[in-house]
Amino acid sequence: MESQALILFGSSGINIAEYYRQHFARLIPIVLFETHKTDYQAERGAKIIQAKMPGKTEQQSTHLIESAADLTTSYFQNIPDYMHGDKGEMLFFTTAEEQFGNSSFEKTLMRAELYEQEMKQILKNYQSIIIVACLGGAVSSAVAPYVAKLANKLHIDIQVIVTMPAKFEGKKRLAQAQRGLNLFHKNSAITQVKIDPESEGLIRYFKMKDEAIANAIEKLLRNED
């Protein structure tokens, strides 16, 4: 059993994990929970956790995409739900039918519930976890509190780092983020990272966000006040 792990969610979680791996040498396992089961996301995740991706056959590589169904099939070919690597784990919880379009909070949570046993099996590998959630999207807002709930049941120590959406991200994301924040266990230690977007451009804002979260992670791991 590992002593501690970082738990991250969705595309934003993969971005943060990439930044953290690039700028900090700490060899802490990273666990990624994701719904968008594409070659691109799988390859990014596999690189972070140092897992081997299944190879494509020549037939799969030259597959002609003629319809949305073909596109869905091509994305799901050879990508496993679960990957284990030298530096962490990754779990996709999704179905081909629900791959495209914006998923609601409720649907994303229902998908996560279908993978409860797989999530528990992963969490049992660690004595304590740091949950990192960029609240606003369905994956982070719905699934991060759900993972915290499972970890509490397993008596795993939990620390939580969250960000809330900027105003320009829209009322829906703000409402979804608040809903997710309210679902965290009242006894969870929550660190909220705040970034001021007003004086920065959009691209710079999200880069600053990844940087600030990575620094917050390192600060927690060093037990700094």
Side-chain angles (χ1 to χ4, degrees), residues 61-93:
S61 299
T62 58
H63 178 73
L64 295 177
I65 298 174
E66 297 178 351
S67 67
D70 286 340
L71 182 59
T72 303
T73 301
S74 73
Y75 273 10
F76 276 71
Q77 284 177 341
N78 256 22
I79 300 176
D81 284 349
Y82 172 78
M83 290 191 288
H84 184 275
D86 294 336
K87 293 188 176 180
E89 303 171 77
M90 184 171 189
L91 178 69
F92 287 103
F93 51 98

